[in-house]
Amino acid sequence: MVVNRSLIRLVPAAVLVLLAGSAVLPARAAEPPRPEVAEKPIVQQAAWTPPLSTRGRYIVDADGNRFKLKSGNWHGASGTWTGSGSPDNAADNHAGEKSDRMPLGLDRASLAEIVAGFRELGLNSVRLPFSNEMLRDTRPVADASVAANPSLRGRTPLQVYDAAVEALTGAGLAVVLNNHTNTTRWCCGVDGNERWNASQSDATWENDWLFMARRYRTNPRVVGADLYNEVRRSVWDDPNWGLGDRHDWFAATQRLGDRILQEANPDLLIVVEGINWTGIPVDGLPHERPTLEPVQRLSHTLVRSGKLVYSAHFYDYTGPRHSGATGTGETSDNRYRDFTRAELHDVLRRQAFYVSGEGDRHFTAPVWISEFGVGGRDEHGEKQRAWFENFVDFLVLTDADFAYWPLVGWHENRKGNGWALLHWDAAGGRIGVFDGDDWRAGAWSRLIAADGRSGPVAPVDHWSMLSPDHGDFVQSLRMRALPDWDSGARKAVCPDGQRLAGLGHTGNRGLCTDAGARDPWAPGAGHEVVRDERYVGTGDWAFGYTKLECPPRHLLIGYSVRGAAVSAVLCASSDAAPGGNGRTVWFDRGDNRPEAAKGGDFAQGRHKGQCADDEYAAGVAYTGRVGSSRTPDALLCRTLR
């Protein structure tokens, strides 16, 4: 988000941790000539049918048509208080804009007018932030804070949030719920909102999300759950991606995403943002903005395929290794605005857009730039303006989903928080990006009206990673409903509709797919746990090795491990598994994957074995000889029917 630019000093002083958003805008330069007025784009928003899901890099509606998220952020319900002074004093709220724990602007304009303004901007969706604290806030909002909406008097902040959701979805807009902060306080920095569990327990965070997912389950235009905003370092600790501790953002979102889809609302998109900041921003010490780079080595596999969306934030004043600070916490690293157009586009691909740009990978998913923005009428910095134009050009070039920050702001005599696209004054007078003196109008028109993929999107093959690194990774809803099939072992099972395609030699990683067989484990078909060689046929496909082979007409959908050692394999009955001798794929001494193998590197730094797209895995071989850890050494691959 656009953050408070005042510097934050931490205790102890030796720990200089300034996270994204503590930058100070440069001094105002001479005003350039006013650009020509850009016309409002003529955008006919296509009708769409909820719920939404994904096909490869695209979000699609229930009819399989592309639904590009053309979104903006309507902030306020997550809080605007800066953390000092009084929350009821406008001067102690970000940019002097006191939201009173509600979507901003309800004191100045009606819900209908605000939502109509969003439609005029060409939006089809809104990211709607909230805080966990707001959910339990039973104080009625002040009458003055809903002066333009008298029907909201006496309501709690959550009830006002309900009304905003109803107004947005009633106008045909999609809504993505966004857990922005723990406390009702302006993000960011070291503010108690650094992590999902910074000021609350994991259980509270998860239960709050289940509450919200269930609350709007009957409203089909509430389409997504954006799990948490800008995860970053606290004073002492970094978030991480896959270490298995209580700061593991990957594990937390994997667990919660599955719970929402299994327990609360199976129709929601699950939106996972990359890590916003790690390390101490001091030259010579490790620090960076990882964003979505870790996804390449460890990606999510949800219990319902086609529900995962990754997201990232980009602002000109931050950078791949720049916190955004000016003064204390500022480093010599480039900000995004310091890159040339070509350099910026290369950095964007590396940090986020490879996820949607590379097809048929375990990590392939839509990427939603759920925050980007820049100052408007009073932004005269050449670098800032160039960055915005170049960034918008890249969004157009990549046909990316996006959400501008923010949509609503205050103004007096055309002055105020210029980042917003729509501003209202105290008398209810509105100015917008198309009112003649906002340099962003041309770029916004270009972005909203850009040609892109539309219409039907063909179904795609799914490629999914299994990662039982620190515990069970059972992604089959059918197996989750059954008793534990290998107690004490860490178990990994492909999502329903997929089969095992590959294994890593060490590290326990697996690869699943539905290529060539969309639902190999038909409803009502049985499964079997195999712990010994009872089903090995007449042909010894791995001489001298222990072979865990599926029964005839079964294929592998999972496996279990104890430490690094194979414990058992899980086989599912399938008409797609005709039997036969098959072939042995050894991967004990190096990679053995088909030429131009799909799925991507699902076990980075490890040897991997993988069956061809038209094959299924029917067995795993290992050895218990001296010096071996009983890790997988070979796969038995047979041709699909």
Side-chain angles (χ1 to χ4, degrees):
M1 63 159 46
V2 184
V3 295
N4 191 327
R5 304 306 179 94
S6 62
L7 296 178
I8 303 169
R9 293 188 177 274
L10 300 182
V11 180
V15 183
L16 303 176
V17 185
L18 284 174
L19 304 177
S22 55
V24 177
L25 289 175
R28 177 171 175 171
E31 183 170 349
R34 182 169 293 179
E36 295 182 6
V37 177
E39 294 183 0
K40 296 180 183 179
I42 299 175
V43 180
Q44 297 294 332
Q45 297 292 1
W48 59 284
T49 306
L52 302 182
S53 58
T54 70
R55 291 184 178 177
R57 62 140 295 179
Y58 296 109
I59 297 170
V60 298
D61 73 357
D63 298 322
N65 294 313
R66 197 297 174 79
F67 185 87
K68 180 177 180 176
L69 288 173
K70 298 181 179 182
S71 320
N73 287 268
W74 188 9
H75 76 295
S78 56
T80 52
W81 178 51
T82 60
S84 62
S86 170
D88 296 323
N89 181 5
D92 296 324
N93 286 258
H94 176 72
E97 297 173 339
K98 185 172 74 76
S99 69
D100 204 16
R101 315 177 313 281
M102 302 177 301
L104 192 69
L106 299 178
D107 60 327
R108 303 174 175 223
S110 69
L111 275 169
E113 180 183 347
I114 293 173
V115 172
F118 298 163
R119 295 304 300 260
E120 289 177 27
L121 291 172
L123 303 179
N124 62 13
S125 47
V126 169
R127 182 177 184 244
L128 197 61
F130 67 88
S131 75
N132 300 89
E133 185 179 26
M134 182 273 284
L135 303 183
R136 285 175 284 278
D137 191 340
T138 59
R139 294 171 295 164
V141 299
D143 288 353
S145 297
V146 290
N149 294 270
S151 64
L152 300 180
R153 290 177 181 172
R155 299 197 190 188
T156 66
L158 179 56
Q159 290 169 337
V160 175
Y161 190 94
D162 291 339
V165 170
E166 183 178 355
L168 291 164
T169 58
L173 294 164
V175 170
V176 178
L177 310 173
N178 164 233
N179 186 191
H180 211 70
T181 51
N182 297 173
T183 65
T184 310
R185 176 178 169 178
W186 184 256
C187 166
C188 294
V190 183
D191 58 359
N193 295 308
E194 303 90 348
R195 296 188 314 274
W196 64 100
N197 55 7
S199 302
Q200 61 189 10
S201 67
D202 289 272
T204 296
W205 179 60
E206 293 184 18
N207 289 335
D208 283 352
W209 257 121
L210 295 177
F211 166 78
M212 290 294 277
R214 291 168 180 146
R215 186 175 188 87
Y216 303 110
R217 181 169 179 168
T218 59
N219 188 336
R221 293 190 185 273
V222 175
V223 299
D226 185 348
L227 300 184
Y228 203 71
N229 182 73
E230 295 186 3
V231 172
R232 57 199 183 274
R233 182 184 174 92
S234 62
V235 174
W236 300 113
D237 297 300
D238 282 325
N240 66 78
W241 194 274
L243 294 185
D245 59 19
R246 69 179 303 268
H247 299 161
D248 185 345
W249 177 230
F250 167 81
T253 49
Q254 176 69 53
R255 181 178 62 251
L256 177 56
D258 284 343
R259 289 197 68 190
I260 290 173
L261 293 174
Q262 186 175 5
E263 301 175 34
N265 188 342
D267 291 333
L268 289 178
L269 295 174
I270 303 298
V271 182
V272 179
E273 187 181 334
I275 292 177
N276 195 58
W277 185 261
T278 63
I280 301 175
V282 174
D283 285 338
L285 295 179
H287 56 267
E288 65 174 334
R289 188 180 305 283
T291 318
L292 293 176
E293 293 183 64
V295 175
Q296 192 162 16
R297 61 176 174 80
L298 180 59
S299 64
H300 294 74
T301 296
L302 299 175
V303 292
R304 295 188 184 276
S305 299
K307 288 297 181 181
L308 174 67
V309 174
Y310 284 114
S311 74
H313 295 176
F314 291 100
Y315 291 104
D316 72 270
Y317 57 86
T318 59
R321 299 186 69 249
H322 202 299
S323 70
T326 296
T328 305
E330 183 175 11
T331 63
S332 59
D333 305 295
N334 277 347
R335 302 174 192 262
Y336 290 114
R337 66 184 179 223
D338 295 325
F339 293 111
T340 66
R341 176 187 175 90
E343 289 170 340
L344 175 64
H345 289 190
D346 286 344
V347 167
L348 295 173
R349 288 188 181 93
R350 171 173 59 82
Q351 289 206 287
F353 285 85
Y354 77 91
V355 173
S356 55
E358 299 180 29
D360 292 318
R361 301 291 190 270
H362 63 82
F363 54 73
T364 302
V367 171
W368 184 36
I369 304 305
S370 54
E371 284 190 25
F372 76 103
V374 72
R377 292 167 177 82
D378 290 331
E379 178 57 81
H380 304 292
E382 291 184 7
K383 283 190 173 183
Q384 288 87 337
R385 289 191 173 199
W387 171 85
F388 188 72
E389 296 284 353
N390 291 334
F391 189 78
V392 166
D393 285 348
F394 192 73
L395 294 179
V396 172
L397 176 68
T398 56
D399 193 12
D401 300 74
F402 60 86
Y404 185 88
W405 182 283
L407 290 176
V408 176
W410 291 4
H411 83 97
E412 292 300 330
N413 298 319
R414 307 182 84 83
K415 300 292 183 182
N417 180 9
W419 285 67
L421 296 179
L422 300 171
H423 297 82
W424 280 266
D425 65 18
R430 193 193 87 172
I431 60 173
V433 69
F434 294 117
D435 286 343
D437 56 349
D438 195 320
W439 66 273
R440 300 169 299 176
W444 182 257
S445 295
R446 190 166 70 253
L447 178 60
I448 285 292
D451 291 334
R453 176 69 179 269
S454 62
V457 176
V460 298
D461 295 333
H462 293 96
W463 297 90
S464 305
M465 174 186 284
L466 295 180
S467 52
D469 302 5
H470 307 289
D472 285 355
F473 204 81
V474 177
Q475 299 312 105
S476 164
L477 288 170
R478 293 175 66 179
M479 291 307 302
R480 286 187 174 206
L482 297 175
D484 189 339
W485 53 273
D486 195 359
S487 180
R490 303 193 314 279
K491 295 164 284 295
V493 185
C494 296
D496 294 332
Q498 299 185 41
R499 68 186 185 280
L500 194 69
L503 275 177
H505 176 54
T506 57
N508 309 131
R509 297 282 177 83
L511 180 69
C512 303
T513 189
D514 58 5
R518 283 283 185 260
D519 192 2
W521 187 18
H527 72 277
E528 185 149 354
V529 179
V530 178
R531 297 183 175 86
D532 54 36
E533 294 191 320
R534 71 184 65 189
Y535 295 114
V536 176
T538 56
D540 192 340
W541 52 274
F543 181 75
Y545 284 69
T546 301
K547 294 167 283 293
L548 304 184
E549 184 176 334
C550 290
R553 302 183 67 82
H554 283 64
L555 43 70
L556 279 173
I557 59 168
Y559 55 94
S560 57
V561 292
R562 298 175 188 270
V566 177
S567 177
V569 297
L570 182 65
C571 305
S573 175
S574 174
D575 291 338
N581 292 329
R583 66 186 182 98
T584 304
V585 174
W586 292 98
F587 52 98
D588 54 334
R589 300 181 183 180
D591 276 6
N592 191 351
R593 304 167 67 207
E595 187 176 353
K598 297 179 181 179
D601 190 344
F602 61 92
Q604 284 195 359
R606 312 287 186 173
H607 301 328
K608 294 165 286 292
Q610 184 174 334
C611 299
D613 293 359
D614 63 350
E615 294 179 325
Y616 65 95
V620 177
Y622 66 89
T623 179
R625 63 174 178 263
V626 176
S628 171
S629 299
R630 291 168 46 103
T631 55
D633 292 312
L635 284 173
L636 173 62
C637 297
R638 292 175 174 154
T639 303
L640 288 164
R641 184 178 299 281

